[in-house]
Every structure is written in structure tokens, then in C-alpha cells.
Amino acid sequence: MTVLPRIRNISKLSPCRRVVVSGLGVVSPIGTGTKTVWDNLLKGQCGIVSLSEKEYGKLPCRIAGVVSLKDENLLRALSKSNLKSMAPATCLALVATAEALLDANWIPESDSDKETTGVALGMGMVDLKDICDTNDALKIGYNKVSPFFVPRILPNMAAGQISIKYGFRGPNHAVSTACATGAHSIGDAYRFIKHGDADVMVCGGAESCISPLAVAGFCRLRALSTSFNNEPEKASRPFDQKRDGFVMGEGAAVLVLEEYEHALKRNANIYAEILGYGLSGDASHITAPREDGSGAILSMTRALQDANISKDEITHVNAHATSTPIGDGIESTAIKKLFGAHSTNILISSTKGAHGHLLGAAGNLEAVFTILACYHGVVPATLNLDDPVDDLHYVAKVPEKWNAERRIALKNSFGFGGTNATLCIAKV
């Protein structure tokens, strides 16, 4: 006998449902576990290291922000079956999800709660090593191709595995918008809750695609840093005059978003509130933003409009700034144009100096840092910022206290193809 799901009366839901953050989970190049990662970030630790394997020896870039699947914390959380049947990024997403759900104290048992809990989690690109290895296996024989090959390379499989593991039957959604993936996932999850499609959403992004082919491909695009192979900790330097490209990173960060009243009723810890979400397209070039910053300006403006706040209320921007010569300058231009004279009052930071650019997991990891900055009143530093591109208020080298009547921030994420996302985040 088939049991039909209960139908919620959406018409009775408030059109202005507030969305808050009640759980966080992180796996990153600077550690595993949200508290550990946040503490390491504030201490100025850097997780960018040399790629010592011989396959990288002839490449122009030989550094990255690496997460080792041999890490004790990860090995305790992952079974051999997980590692065999799932892509590395999916494994990292499951570890971060377990922490986030535990942090939120949300492991629903009832059908009702499971039906109103969803997942929105994506990745920027699949692991090219999987594809190369499987192609080599096929040359030996058909039977050498793993039956898990296709599921391992599907970008939505991390969201699917989370949903399956916990029985979540709300929206099951996967975003793949290059380096804006993580921010778009959070923004979409925010809208699902705001419009009544779910009460709780597990959201974020995961990435684990560092391989010789991936590094070579980005090098051919002239996107990666090549001047600091012997000093990897100095390579990622957002907004600095000596920046020469980004550094690939990997990891996962997962947020539990929740409808405000739902969180209050169960006495959940609330880190921050998602006030608004803005999106835009540059419609200009596959890798470079518009020189006038108009794409970023549109994205930030739409986030402010969605949040229904004035631009003068923003006192922190967690920038996308990847350490590329073109991108950082254009984002700086966009901030100046949008905020005008108020731009010098805004604390601007990019944490990519510490962990590199996590591609599809960049926006969500940095959203976690923006949320924790709101929660603790401390803005993390931009490492290696010796000679800033301009006179904006960059938080350089050491963290700064965030003294504001109400702490409200923007988190920017921009991706290849000209896709832009901005989140507006505030202390409750």
C-alpha cells in the first residue's frame, strides 16, 4: 500500500519568512571542523603547499590548497565503501554535513520533518582524475570500468548522497555555476525556505578536483599563480600589487539554513540571518568580468534590494577576490562605484590568501567565515596583502574587530561564464 505524503497548506505560510543559519560544517586546507578552521584562520595559518608528485614537475604552477583523504578526522568519518563508490568531493561533503547537522542539532526522525528538510549542494567541476583513470582502464578492458564511474562524476551526487543518508525529502537541488556554485546554492536554499518549499535546508558546495590535468588546464588559461612555487604560502595574495593568479584549493563547507520561527521553537543556536540574495550575468566574456564592474554592481545591488536595506548599512564585504590581476581590480572598482564615499568605511577581506580558491566550494566556505565574522564581531585578515591596489579599507595580515551598531555584510562570488552571486548576511 502506497502512503501518500502530507500536503502542506502553502497558502497559509507567511510571504516574509525569515531565514537563519543554525549549523556549520567545514573541511578545508586549513583544517577540518568549523572551530578549528576559524581559529586557524584568525591565527593567520596558510594551507597552501607544494605539489611534490612528479606529474606536476613540468607544470608552470606546482602549488595548491590540498585536503588529504588520509587525514585522521576524515578517515574516521569515511568508510572504504564511501571512498570506492563516491567521488572525493562527495566524501568531503558528507563529512561537512555530519558536522553541520550535529551543530544544528537537527537529525529529524519523523516523516513530517524529513519532508520539510531539503538539500542544495553543488560542485564546480568533476574530478578529472576519475575520468583519466577510467579511460585508461577501458583501454585494458570493458570489465575494468568501475560501475561507480558515472555516479562518481555526476555533479548532483553529493546532494543525492546527503538526501539518501538522512532521508531528507524536501528539495533535492544541485548547482554548478563554476566559482559561484557555493553562493548560489546558499541563495537558492534561502529562497526555498523563504517561499515555503522547505523549513530547513542543508546547503553549500564541495570541490576536490586538483590533478595534473586540471592544473594544466587552468595554467593554459593563464589563471593560476606561477611566481611563488618555492614559497607556496605567499602565492595567494588578493588585492596585492604582486598577485599573479589564483591558487587551486579543495574542501567542503555546509550550512544548515532554517526558518526563523522553526529555529526559535526548538531553541536552536542562531549564528546569523540571510537577509538577501542577488544574481546577475556579465554577458561579456567566458573568463573575465566586465571592466566597469557592472556585473558585480548589479549582483550586490539586487542583494541589497532583496534584503530591503540601504547600502550605507553594509560595513563588511567578504570579497570574491581570487588573486588574479584582472578580477581583484574590477571587484574593487565595483565596490567603489556602488558605495561611493561610504566604501572607505567598509571592512574588505578575502580569506583566499589562507586556503586558496576552492572553485565550486569557495562561496560557501567564505560565507561561513562571513557568518562567523557577524557572530563574533571579528573580520579575518587577507594574507600577503603588502601593497594594496587602492585605498579601500582592506583587512590586511591581522584580523580587525568589527564595531558596528548592527553587523551586516555582503559576500560576493563570481564564476567563469560571467555568473555572479551576492549574499547579504547579518547578525540577528
Side-chain angles (χ1 to χ4, degrees):
M1 176 179 172
T2 302
V3 178
L4 296 177
R6 285 158 297 284
I7 304 300
R8 303 175 74 211
N9 190 343
I10 300 298
S11 63
K12 292 184 178 179
L13 294 174
S14 166
C16 300
R17 283 158 55 98
R18 295 172 63 186
V19 181
V20 296
V21 182
S22 58
L24 302 170
V26 177
V27 179
S28 83
I30 54 172
T32 297
T34 303
K35 185 180 186 306
T36 296
V37 172
W38 178 247
D39 288 345
N40 288 342
L41 183 68
L42 295 183
K43 291 174 184 175
Q45 292 191 14
C46 180
I48 298 170
V49 298
S50 297
L51 297 171
S52 57
E53 294 87 345
K54 64 179 182 179
E55 294 89 346
Y56 296 100
K58 295 182 180 180
L59 299 181
C61 176
R62 298 184 294 279
I63 55 176
V66 177
V67 172
S68 173
L69 287 176
K70 295 180 181 179
D71 179 277
E72 290 185 5
N73 292 318
L74 297 182
L75 288 175
R76 283 196 297 268
L78 298 169
S79 67
K80 290 182 180 179
S81 175
N82 291 151
L83 296 171
K84 181 179 180 180
S85 63
M86 301 178 194
T90 299
C91 293
L92 299 183
L94 284 169
V95 173
T97 298
E99 184 196 357
L101 290 170
L102 181 63
D103 187 35
N105 192 28
W106 184 250
I107 310 291
E109 298 292 337
S110 71
D111 284 341
S112 177
D113 286 340
K114 288 179 179 179
E115 288 170 10
T116 57
T117 301
V119 184
L121 194 142
M123 60 182 70
M125 60 186 285
V126 299
D127 182 9
L128 300 182
K129 186 177 185 300
D130 252 350
I131 297 172
C132 292
D133 289 350
T134 304
N135 186 59
D136 290 341
L138 181 59
K139 292 176 182 177
I140 299 171
Y142 161 76
N143 290 332
K144 297 296 183 181
V145 174
S146 168
F148 300 112
F149 170 60
V150 170
R152 281 174 65 97
I153 65 169
L154 290 176
N156 74 311
M157 200 51 67
Q161 292 284 9
I162 292 166
S163 175
I164 291 166
K165 179 176 180 178
Y166 296 100
F168 297 152
R169 286 179 279 166
N172 188 324
H173 182 61
V175 179
S176 186
T177 48
C179 306
T181 295
H184 277 141
S185 297
I186 296 168
D188 290 353
Y190 151 80
R191 286 188 172 175
F192 288 146
I193 296 174
K194 185 176 181 179
H195 295 294
D197 296 299
D199 291 329
V200 180
M201 289 294 301
V202 176
C203 61
E207 200 77 87
S208 183
C209 63
I210 297 171
S211 68
L213 180 56
V215 172
F218 279 115
C219 282
R220 291 291 289 161
L221 275 175
R222 297 185 179 181
L224 299 185
S225 172
T226 59
S227 301
F228 297 90
N229 286 318
N230 296 324
E231 298 177 294
E233 71 283 355
K234 296 182 180 180
S236 183
R237 40 198 321 117
F239 295 117
D240 187 74
Q241 297 284 4
K242 291 183 180 179
R243 69 195 187 280
D244 72 326
F246 72 80
V247 179
M248 289 181 70
E250 59 186 357
V254 172
L255 291 68
V256 176
L257 302 190
E258 190 167 349
E259 193 274 324
Y260 178 62
E261 296 295 336
H262 187 277
L264 286 183
K265 286 178 182 177
R266 64 183 197 87
N267 198 31
N269 178 51
I270 295 175
Y271 286 100
E273 181 173 2
I274 309 296
L275 294 183
Y277 173 40
L279 308 87
S280 73
D282 277 288
S284 176
H285 188 272
I286 60 170
T287 60
R290 284 182 177 269
E291 291 185 6
D292 61 2
S294 57
I297 291 170
L298 274 174
S299 183
M300 290 188 283
T301 299
R302 288 167 180 168
L304 293 172
Q305 290 172 341
D306 188 42
N308 194 29
I309 64 169
S310 72
K311 58 189 178 183
D312 289 346
E313 294 179 77
I314 299 297
T315 47
H316 171 40
V317 171
N318 183 299
H320 178 67
T322 62
S323 187
T324 59
I326 294 176
D328 293 14
I330 292 175
E331 186 171 9
S332 173
T333 295
I335 291 169
K336 283 186 171 184
K337 284 185 175 181
L338 176 60
F339 292 98
H342 178 62
S343 61
T344 56
N345 300 322
I346 298 173
L347 301 173
I348 299 171
S349 176
S350 171
T351 60
K352 289 185 174 75
H355 49 71
H357 184 15
L358 271 64
L359 307 176
N364 47 304
L365 176 63
E366 294 153 25
V368 167
F369 296 148
T370 309
I371 288 160
L372 291 173
C374 287
Y375 188 68
H376 294 291
V378 179
V379 174
T382 307
L383 298 189
N384 303 313
L385 184 45
D386 300 322
D387 188 8
V389 292
D390 52 39
D391 59 353
L392 289 173
H393 188 152
Y394 297 107
V395 180
K397 298 186 178 181
V398 294
E400 288 190 31
K401 289 186 177 180
W402 184 4
N403 298 314
E405 186 174 342
R406 186 186 182 196
R407 297 191 286 271
I408 309 178
L410 293 183
K411 166 62 208 148
N412 286 332
S413 283
F414 312 132
F416 281 179
T419 180
N420 307 311
T422 300
L423 299 167
C424 185
I425 300 168
K427 179 76 171 72
V428 177

